[in-house]
Amino acid sequence: MIDVTAALTAHPFFHGMSEDHLAVIAEAASDVTFPAGHRLFEDGGGANRFWLIQSGQVALDVHVPGEGRVRIDTIGMGELLGWSWLFPPYEWAFGAVAASPVEAFEFDGQAVRASCAADPALELEVTQRVARVLAKRLQSTRAKLIGASIHPVGTR
Amino acid sequence: MEDVLGGHPFFAGLGADALRLMAGCASNAHFAAGDYIFSEGAEANCFYVIRHGRVALEINSPARGPLIIDTIDGGEVLGWSWLVPPYRYFSDARAVTPVSATVLDGTCLRGKCEEDAELGYQLLKRVAAVMYQRMQSARIRMLDLYGSDPAAMVPPGSDLRPWLPGSSARRMNRIT
């Protein structure tokens, strides 16, 4: 078992977080690996976990009736996967499947939520960090939307 | 002004003190259909509480011109960038219909949040939820653009699907 706290300290997502808060977060963390093709979650399912991807890639997809699974985004190394655990109704809006072998830290979102409920300062820290990731991801998704409109189709 | 803010769903659950603090940063604004409310890249200094009307969020595609990525209606809010670095708007916002809004000055509001940590947290929590919704809309919009080829994430024809206001939401309902 690796030293989760030390590894989390080094991760940009947790940069600057106090030791006390990191210790609480580390309690909810474990290191996991998934083979390519492993489904981490389904859209509509209860969202009680999140991951920091250490290596490999995870594809986000949705099930479209009559069309099967449609991939909409990819989450890679160093990125946060999953924030539905932080927002009511705590349900996955999309599905996620390992697009390659994946190494990640997996967090018990319910445990982190419970810790946040008991410690407003931790709740503020976590929400701020997730908001910053959301801001960056929104920016990059909008850039991808522009890309999709420039190179629309059949260009593979 | 406090009553106007208090009656808006975004602020549901906030106390009278918090509403009074925010009212000090607020003014009313009206936009005609077609007006740009803010532009991509500009300093994000305003938070718009939409009372009536519809606003389109647009990004500019060099190939296709403005591309609507989301719509915001009365009862919703516009602009989260005032609270999250780098405090810049990531898209254009254009009034689709005449719009009535309460405008909160971002610098003023950030000041109040620093004075009152609880207000700061309550706003951050609500704004993060708005960002989460925008993220979902952007991804669904991606699905609209890429169409239905599950293998390639590449749209099925040589052109993009026409986008109709609300189509993403309908599609979302169909999916989930």
Side-chain angles (χ1 to χ4, degrees), chain A residues 36-133:
Chain A
H38 175 82
R39 182 156 289 281
L40 283 77
F41 53 86
E42 296 268 6
D43 36 312
N48 285 319
R49 288 176 294 166
F50 64 100
W51 296 263
L52 285 175
I53 307 301
Q54 293 292 93
S55 70
Q57 290 206 317
V58 175
L60 292 184
D61 59 12
V62 285
H63 181 257
V64 180
E67 297 176 12
R69 291 218 154 261
V70 180
R71 183 183 291 196
I72 50 166
D73 208 349
T74 307
I75 310 296
M77 190 175 82
E79 292 190 297
L80 173 69
L81 168 66
W83 33 54
S84 299
W85 61 278
L86 193 55
F87 301 101
Y90 311 116
E91 274 178 20
W92 298 119
F94 305 101
V97 63
S100 69
V102 167
E103 291 177 288
F105 290 115
E106 181 175 288
F107 298 84
D108 179 340
Q110 238 168 349
V112 174
R113 274 209 312 267
S115 300
C116 285
D119 181 351
L122 176 63
E123 189 169 28
L124 180 62
E125 277 273 340
V126 170
T127 309
Q128 257 171 351
R129 284 159 199 271
V130 169
R132 281 177 191 169
V133 174

Side-chain angles (χ1 to χ4, degrees), chain A residues 43-44 60 62-65 67-75 83-85 87-89 91-94 120 123-124 127-128 130-132 134-139 141-156, chain B residues 40 57 59-64 67 69-70 80 84-85 90-91 117 120-121 124-125 128-129 131-132 134-136 138-143 145-161 171-172 174-176:
Chain A
D43 36 312
L60 292 184
V62 285
H63 181 257
V64 180
E67 297 176 12
R69 291 218 154 261
V70 180
R71 183 183 291 196
I72 50 166
D73 208 349
T74 307
I75 310 296
W83 33 54
S84 299
W85 61 278
F87 301 101
E91 274 178 20
W92 298 119
F94 305 101
E123 189 169 28
L124 180 62
T127 309
Q128 257 171 351
V130 169
R132 281 177 191 169
L134 269 167
K136 279 189 188 152
R137 206 73 67 76
L138 268 166
Q139 197 172 19
T141 302
R142 287 172 181 177
K144 283 183 202 170
L145 280 166
I146 292 174
S149 72
I150 295 172
H151 304 291
V153 276
T155 48
R156 59 181 159 144
Chain B
E40 183 176 353
L57 288 182
I59 49 179
N60 277 295
S61 160
R64 302 189 53 84
L67 193 69
I69 52 171
D70 211 344
W80 47 264
V84 184
F90 288 170
S91 58
Y121 174 62
L124 176 66
K125 192 159 81 167
M131 296 169 76
Y132 173 69
R134 298 275 171 269
M135 191 67 220
Q136 292 193 359
R139 282 177 170 157
I140 292 295
R141 187 73 180 98
M142 193 74 123
L143 183 63
L145 283 182
Y146 278 128
S148 57
D149 183 341
M153 280 181 65
V154 171
S158 61
D159 207 347
L160 299 169
R161 290 179 190 182
R171 186 158 190 143
M172 191 77 187
R174 187 158 68 92
I175 294 163
T176 55

